[in-house]
Amino acid sequence: MFSNSIKNINVLLFNCFLLLIFWLPIPLGSNRAWAWGIIEVAAFLMLATYLLLAIKTNENVVNALKPYKLLIVSFLLVQLWVVIQYTPLPSSLVYAISPHLVDVYGAPKNEFQTFSVSPSDSYIASLKGVAYLALMLLSILLVTSEKRLKQLLLVMVCSGTFQAVYGSLQAMSGNELSWIFEVQNSTIATGSFIYKNHFANFLLLCLSMGVGLLVASLSKNKFINKRAQIRELIGSLLKGKAILRIALALMVIGLVMSRSRMGNAAFFIAMSATGIFAFIYYKHRSKGLSILLVSLLVIDTFILGAWFGLDKLKARIEQTALSQESRDEVNIYGLELINDFTITGTGAGTFYTIFPMVKGDDIKLFYDHAHNDYLQFTIEYGFPITMLLAAIVLMSLKQTVYTMRKRQNSLMKGTAFGCMMAIIGMLIHSSVDFNLQSPANASYFVLILTLAWQSRHLLRGQSHHKKAAQLHNY
């Protein structure tokens, strides 16, 4: 009886985790205080419940997390640094390490001072960061079987498909206000997000995992005749592969209708680069992989795109000129901030506070974000911690390379394919936008980084996973 109760609670936790993942983008990309508050409360409560459950069952959580210690410790160090940024420290120490704070605060007047120019904003950023860490830990602790991994990937695909369908229909509706939350609507698809590029980036992430799931489902069988090949095709359709392919097509439509230049470019570059890598390094690859990648590039781009606005996207790219944008000036002034606050940064979440202090008269618009995640993270967190964040991403990318080259499990290889594609896409898109400032996008990206590690380590003989697989195979 006790064992069944523990199992039921574990199942409930996993289902709540999936529900949270689906919910994340719905309330305006969770980019409102009440919305990211839901993420924090839900993630903390689920993690606390799991840990209490582990204590009751004498489960060794440390051993479960051991393969991921480098990822977890690195991410934890980032969060600890943010806490240091908003914690009052002796003024002499603060000004000695970051002397340019004199330009912000003036001469030292108080006994204590903070590295962050807006401690309240850094505190908010800290809570978000710890919530992302909780999501990372929940993924590691709850997704412990192939069945659960597949369910998580399907939820991510369903979330992206819902956003794509809603966004596309809303854009074609002609309504002045959106159906959800009644925000300003236009002919450009934004889903339940406010900003089209956040919407496009979210679809990029979901599309990547969907492609990975489709790659995982490719048959490696060699057919002796046409009849066997047709039988396999019909079987795959009945198993749901056709539905997944339709979902990917719908997300591509939504991506094109977002009119996001770099969002579309990042998706197709990432898919091409990952496909080439897989084609070269996959052992025992099937012909279906080549066919799948070609179909995604040709059918989705030239047929669906022609129907749903690729021509408008192309025209928008051609009409764009650097003289019409002020982002290059933002980058120049941003580099000055990096030079002034190289080590400590100005504090997580403080860009919109510090940037007006340095921008010139040539910038007329208000920038609450840098439109370049690399620039904004370096300004806010400082160069050393930004390099640590970069190391986390690159280490995660390395896990996908190992999995695609070494592991034989098709689901793990497909997951690694999707993670590699998503990471490359995010690296490209982040160079011109601030997608990681959206809690929904940031949560999904942290989850994808975690899945990259799980694709390598999941079900590789650890005693925890053998025990957990028995418990979780419901």
Side-chain angles (χ1 to χ4, degrees), residues 117-381:
V117 299
S118 179
S120 60
D121 287 318
S122 295
Y123 174 73
I124 291 170
S126 176
L127 288 177
K128 290 181 188 176
V130 177
Y132 301 151
L133 177 61
L135 289 175
M136 176 187 290
L137 295 174
L138 284 169
S139 178
I140 295 170
L141 295 170
L142 291 174
V143 183
T144 52
S145 66
E146 284 193 37
K147 184 176 182 180
R148 287 196 169 187
L149 175 59
K150 190 172 183 179
Q151 287 176 327
L152 175 57
L153 296 178
L154 284 171
V155 167
M156 297 174 77
V157 171
C158 289
S159 179
T161 305
F162 171 79
Q163 289 294 324
V165 172
Y166 172 70
S168 301
L169 292 177
Q170 183 66 69
M172 294 186 291
S173 70
N175 292 346
E176 292 184 6
L177 299 177
S178 66
W179 296 323
I180 299 179
F181 300 111
E182 295 187 338
V183 296
Q184 195 65 36
N185 184 47
S186 70
T187 57
I188 296 176
T190 59
S192 60
F193 292 78
I194 296 294
Y195 186 40
K196 65 180 181 181
N197 285 319
H198 286 171
F199 169 69
N201 182 262
F202 182 79
L203 292 185
L204 184 158
L205 298 178
C206 295
L207 267 164
S208 297
M209 303 317 294
V211 172
L213 195 55
L214 199 55
V215 168
S217 69
L218 294 175
S219 174
K220 297 180 182 178
N221 297 331
K222 294 184 178 180
F223 305 105
I224 56 175
N225 53 47
K226 288 287 183 182
R227 180 178 296 178
Q229 197 168 1
I230 293 172
R231 190 184 303 119
E232 172 67 19
L233 175 61
I234 295 173
S236 66
L237 292 175
L238 293 175
K239 291 175 184 175
K241 194 186 295 184
I243 296 175
L244 177 58
R245 188 64 187 84
I246 291 169
L248 295 182
L250 291 171
M251 282 191 277
V252 170
I253 292 172
L255 182 60
V256 172
M257 290 189 69
S258 73
R259 309 285 189 267
S260 172
R261 295 160 292 180
M262 190 56 79
N264 281 269
F267 168 67
F268 289 109
I269 292 171
M271 183 170 62
S272 301
T274 308
I276 292 170
F277 179 88
F279 189 78
I280 295 173
Y281 290 106
Y282 254 36
K283 291 182 179 180
H284 313 298
R285 65 176 181 272
S286 67
K287 291 182 179 179
L289 178 62
S290 304
I291 296 171
L292 170 64
L293 295 174
V294 171
S295 73
L296 284 168
L297 287 169
V298 176
I299 297 176
D300 293 352
T301 307
F302 297 106
I303 298 179
L304 296 177
W307 287 348
F308 292 96
L310 192 62
D311 54 335
K312 295 179 182 178
L313 176 64
K314 180 182 177 184
R316 186 165 182 266
I317 293 173
E318 292 173 346
Q319 292 167 6
T320 300
L322 285 175
S323 59
Q324 297 174 319
E325 304 253 4
S326 58
R327 295 183 192 180
D328 50 339
E329 283 82 9
V330 173
N331 292 339
I332 293 171
Y333 292 117
L335 290 174
E336 292 181 16
L337 287 171
I338 292 174
N339 185 58
D340 291 344
F341 301 95
T342 305
I343 298 176
T344 64
T346 61
T350 63
F351 179 84
Y352 79 96
T353 300
I354 193 68
F355 186 69
M357 299 181 186
V358 298
K359 74 172 184 176
D361 295 334
D362 51 339
I363 296 181
K364 308 300 181 184
L365 300 175
F366 174 74
Y367 281 86
D368 54 350
H369 294 290
H371 288 268
N372 182 321
D373 274 325
Y374 303 114
L375 181 68
Q376 183 159 342
F377 273 106
T378 309
I379 291 171
E380 294 183 349
Y381 290 76

Side-chain angles (χ1 to χ4, degrees), residues 78-132:
V78 176
Q79 310 315 319
L80 289 175
W81 171 245
V82 178
V83 173
I84 292 172
Q85 283 185 315
Y86 68 77
T87 300
L89 299 170
S91 296
S92 56
L93 175 65
V94 171
Y95 281 85
I97 298 175
S98 188
H100 283 279
L101 282 174
V102 172
D103 300 330
V104 179
Y105 296 133
K109 298 176 183 178
N110 301 320
E111 185 178 350
F112 293 94
Q113 195 56 269
T114 62
F115 287 119
S116 173
V117 299
S118 179
S120 60
D121 287 318
S122 295
Y123 174 73
I124 291 170
S126 176
L127 288 177
K128 290 181 188 176
V130 177
Y132 301 151

Side-chain angles (χ1 to χ4, degrees), residues 379-391:
I379 291 171
E380 294 183 349
Y381 290 76
F383 185 77
I385 294 299
T386 301
M387 289 300 98
L388 179 57
L389 285 168

